[in-house]
Amino acid sequence: MDKLRVCVIDDEPIANQLICSYVERTPFLELVGSYASAQDAVKAILTEDVDLVFMDIQMPQLNGMEFSKIMPAHTKAIFTTAFDQYAIQAFKVGALDYLLKPISYEEFFTSANRALAWTQAARNPAASTSRRNHLIVKSEYKLIQIPFEEILFVEGLKDYVKIYLTQDQKSIMTLMSMRLLERYLPSTMFMRIHRSYIVNLNHVRLIERNRVVFGTHNLPISESYKQQFQDYIMARTVAGPGMEEE
């Protein structure tokens, strides 16, 4: 397994050293640089092949949010901060996670593992998703494992996603973008039918008036995703005598 190349950026020496020690004790991470400011790290991030950056938000000259916007697309950020008010903004700039100080190794490892899964999915989506059969999300300060087969559909709600489950289980809300979640879901099982909806194709039982129906939920199929969804349905539709295509 290839290691993720990691940089740590934090102007607090103790916090910086702690995260560096966590990186060094994690088998699938490789520490390639430690910096006291984002400005000091610019050259390394832009010229070296860095996969992941653990960084504080409130730093002098160039803060973490600003720095994340100039990082290469393949370099992902995990914010490590003492302030919780930046969480939504962090996910808007594409951060993989948001850890509140003080950070335990268990929290760090879970977050690093999420970064590893994301990287593997980005490099080889088909192979990565075929090996996994579940999703792990943060909700109400807990980590929840959700088997793919138990997901009915996902609804995007601005900065959050709401995951609806089978067997009348309680839905789960998590701070994440639809784009990021879509990377974790196997394309052989899930399909986006609307900017706000992703459905589990294995659970689609009724399609009516350009809507996918799950009990009392009627999910619209938008024009942007209509052709792909129709192609999937028509390839699996058996047309008997007397049946006509609408």
Side-chain angles (χ1 to χ4, degrees):
M1 176 180 64
D2 293 336
K3 291 186 176 184
L4 299 186
R5 292 170 57 80
V6 176
C7 280
V8 176
I9 309 173
D10 199 314
D11 60 333
E12 299 176 10
I14 295 177
N16 192 313
Q17 292 169 14
L18 178 67
I19 298 301
C20 285
S21 71
Y22 286 171
V23 172
E24 290 173 337
R25 66 187 281 195
T26 305
F28 56 84
L29 300 182
E30 177 186 355
L31 182 64
V32 296
S34 171
Y35 305 93
S37 72
Q39 189 168 0
D40 292 340
V42 169
K43 183 178 179 180
I45 301 297
L46 296 181
T47 59
E48 296 186 32
D49 187 16
V50 176
D51 299 301
L52 183 62
V53 180
F54 287 90
M55 64 179 164
D56 195 5
I57 293 177
Q58 291 193 345
M59 295 184 289
Q61 298 176 318
L62 183 65
N63 68 44
M65 291 294 178
E66 295 168 338
F67 185 61
S68 68
K69 295 176 183 178
I70 65 173
M71 295 193 311
H74 74 276
T75 303
K76 305 306 291 184
I78 292 177
F79 288 112
T80 56
T81 178
F83 306 95
D84 61 4
Q85 67 265 33
Y86 298 109
I88 291 178
Q89 188 180 351
F91 286 101
K92 280 185 176 181
V93 298
L96 289 183
D97 212 343
Y98 187 93
L99 301 177
L100 285 175
K101 297 176 180 177
I103 301 166
S104 69
Y105 180 67
E106 181 181 3
E107 292 172 316
F108 173 90
F109 184 82
T110 299
S111 189
N113 207 37
R114 177 180 294 184
L116 178 64
W118 185 93
T119 304
Q120 290 175 335
R123 290 173 179 171
N124 191 351
S128 177
T129 53
S130 66
R131 288 194 295 267
R132 291 184 289 113
N133 61 4
H134 64 272
L135 186 71
I136 298 176
V137 300
K138 272 187 177 179
S139 182
E140 298 178 350
Y141 303 102
K142 295 179 292 186
L143 286 171
I144 303 174
Q145 179 173 297
I146 310 171
F148 289 144
E149 63 184 19
E150 292 184 8
I151 299 175
L152 274 179
F153 66 93
V154 179
E155 180 181 12
L157 300 170
K158 197 176 179 181
D159 301 307
Y160 292 80
V161 295
K162 191 173 185 180
I163 302 172
Y164 292 81
L165 306 175
T166 59
Q167 301 176 354
D168 297 322
Q169 299 177 62
K170 182 181 178 181
S171 58
I172 296 172
M173 188 93 76
T174 184
L175 183 61
M176 183 186 294
S177 70
M178 289 284 277
R179 181 181 300 177
L180 179 59
L181 177 61
E182 201 169 10
R183 288 181 177 272
Y184 284 92
L185 299 174
S187 59
T188 54
M189 185 181 295
F190 293 89
M191 184 178 291
R192 197 160 185 172
I193 62 168
H194 188 276
R195 182 179 63 181
S196 300
Y197 295 105
I198 297 172
V199 299
N200 186 333
L201 297 167
N202 293 341
H203 291 301
V204 172
R205 298 289 183 267
L206 179 61
I207 304 167
E208 185 178 30
R209 297 179 182 177
N210 212 34
R211 292 175 180 270
V212 177
V213 180
F214 291 104
T216 59
H217 300 281
N218 294 277
L219 315 186
I221 305 168
S222 70
E223 287 297 324
S224 302
Y225 301 95
K226 185 176 181 179
Q227 189 60 56
Q228 181 185 12
F229 186 68
Q230 281 187 337
D231 290 345
Y232 172 85
I233 295 301
M234 292 307 298
R236 291 158 177 78
T237 298
V238 178
M243 295 181 65
E244 298 181 358
E245 184 179 341
E246 294 184 358

